[in-house]
Amino acid sequence: MGLFASNEIRLNVISDYPQEGNLKLIKHANGKYQFKGFDEMLKFEHLYWSGFNSNTIEAKTEKTVTKSKNVVGRAITGGVVAGIPGAIIGGTTSKKVSTTKPALTTTVRSPQNAHIIFTTESGEERTVGFSMMFSDKAIKTLESKFDMPIEYV
């Protein structure tokens, strides 16, 4: 955002404007807005944004590992006490310990589109949809730079 003048910001406009794509929105000293390259002066009404879509993706599933403890020790003890059958029985009576490794997940966030409601000088309402190709920090910058309170819906 440091590449632009303090009174302009680039928006990737996706709907409801004569031109789509990267446009610079300029705030004039009189509080009116204008898209660079267009004559139409606009009055800001609202900025709506639904935030981010979040999806949790499971990278690895939950896994349970069972291990037997003291198999050799119990088999030797059983063998000393009762011979080969004692060794077999002693080995099978070992303690089983289960460990569960939780699933490995990650959350993917993708920004939703935002909408600015403007009114033209003739009183016509114009909705401009634009993609939010930036972060929460950029949203706060947009809000403070243009004095546009964001309404989260």
Side-chain angles (χ1 to χ4, degrees), residues 102-116:
L104 178 63
T105 60
T106 185
T107 301
V108 178
R109 295 175 62 200
S110 59
Q112 296 190 55
N113 294 333
H115 300 278
I116 301 177

Side-chain angles (χ1 to χ4, degrees), residues 4-44:
F4 306 108
S6 63
N7 69 334
E8 64 184 41
I9 190 165
R10 186 182 301 263
L11 299 176
N12 188 25
V13 174
I14 57 172
S15 67
D16 296 337
Y17 211 74
Q19 177 182 329
E20 295 181 356
N22 286 325
L23 295 174
K24 292 178 187 172
L25 180 65
I26 302 165
K27 182 177 183 182
H28 295 279
N30 64 3
K32 300 278 181 159
Y33 294 84
Q34 178 183 28
F35 281 99
K36 193 169 191 170
F38 293 91
D39 294 332
E40 185 175 56
M41 296 299 287
L42 306 166
K43 179 182 172 217
F44 168 76

Side-chain angles (χ1 to χ4, degrees), residues 51-57 107-112:
F52 290 93
N53 285 327
S54 295
N55 294 319
T56 301
I57 299 170
T107 301
V108 178
R109 295 175 62 200
S110 59
Q112 296 190 55

Side-chain angles (χ1 to χ4, degrees), residues 122-133:
S122 64
E124 179 185 341
E125 189 173 273
R126 187 178 296 276
T127 302
V128 179
F130 63 100
S131 62
M132 302 300 289
M133 300 301 289

